[in-house]
Amino acid sequence: MKPFSQYQKFDLTQGEKVNYSYYIALESIFNCFTDRLEELFYDMFNKVFQFSYQIKTGIRFQNHLRKTEAPIPIFIFEMSPIKGNALLIPDHALTNLFLNQTNVFKQKSIEVNNYFTLNQDNSKILGKKVNHYLSEFGKCWEKINPIELKLKKL
């Protein structure tokens, strides 16, 4: 895991040779973000987590939402100057991990349930967590192009 502070800014306009796929900019952003998440989660839970990502194209939100297990928290945010809205859909395990964070410190292992119920308290807790991670995601974007992330609603 590469510490977040060691990431350098990229200049993709200089024609440097890149040994990644067609989505080099997104790969750079997500590599940075997954490394940052591993650091943050270790600091938060004192346990090692591994994050991975997969870039898929041509996915429509409605088709994806039909396949998700309801109820599930869906966060809508905008990424200025990129137009349109984006979705952040955490799975139930991650959502419950955030909601039960205080109990995790007392346990040797982490056990999360695969169900979720949303109420006003849960909404506030998740909103704070998601805002924090969106700001970290924005910092990873800054390596390519400055961006402003704004959570619109849950």
Side-chain angles (χ1 to χ4, degrees):
M1 176 172 69
K2 188 176 188 179
F4 182 71
S5 59
Q6 289 183 5
Y7 277 86
Q8 302 296 319
K9 290 192 174 206
F10 293 99
D11 185 358
L12 300 177
T13 62
Q14 297 300 316
E16 297 173 4
K17 185 174 180 178
V18 178
N19 294 322
Y20 290 96
S21 71
Y22 181 74
Y23 297 103
I24 177 61
L26 283 179
E27 287 179 2
S28 300
I29 291 164
F30 285 121
N31 283 335
C32 175
F33 188 53
T34 55
D35 286 348
R36 184 65 180 139
L37 283 177
E38 288 172 2
E39 278 183 44
L40 290 170
F41 272 62
Y42 184 80
D43 292 344
M44 188 184 317
F45 298 106
N46 201 25
K47 296 180 185 332
V48 176
F49 290 79
Q50 290 184 333
F51 293 88
S52 61
Y53 65 91
Q54 184 177 16
I55 298 173
K56 293 183 181 180
T57 59
I59 296 176
R60 299 195 180 277
F61 285 149
Q62 274 190 332
N63 293 340
H64 181 70
L65 292 176
R66 286 186 191 122
K67 297 176 186 176
T68 60
E69 187 179 338
I72 192 164
I74 300 172
F75 296 91
I76 302 171
F77 63 98
E78 63 182 36
M79 300 173 61
S80 300
I82 298 172
K83 293 182 181 178
N85 291 327
L87 298 181
L88 173 64
I89 307 172
D91 67 1
H92 292 162
L94 180 63
T95 302
N96 288 322
L97 187 64
F98 285 154
L99 294 175
N100 298 320
Q101 180 180 353
T102 55
N103 298 330
V104 171
F105 291 114
K106 300 172 188 172
Q107 303 168 358
K108 289 186 178 181
S109 63
I110 296 175
E111 185 178 322
V112 290
N113 298 317
N114 198 26
Y115 64 86
F116 173 75
T117 55
L118 184 64
N119 58 37
Q120 194 166 357
D121 293 334
N122 289 354
S123 179
K124 289 178 185 177
I125 293 169
L126 291 176
K128 288 179 184 177
K129 293 285 184 189
V130 167
N131 266 326
H132 177 70
Y133 291 109
L134 282 179
S135 78
E136 294 298 330
F137 188 53
K139 291 176 186 174
C140 295
W141 267 91
E142 288 176 0
K143 306 298 179 185
I144 305 287
N145 185 45
I147 194 162
E148 182 181 340
L149 293 160
K150 179 181 174 188
L151 184 60
K152 293 176 81 173
K153 66 180 175 178
L154 164 61

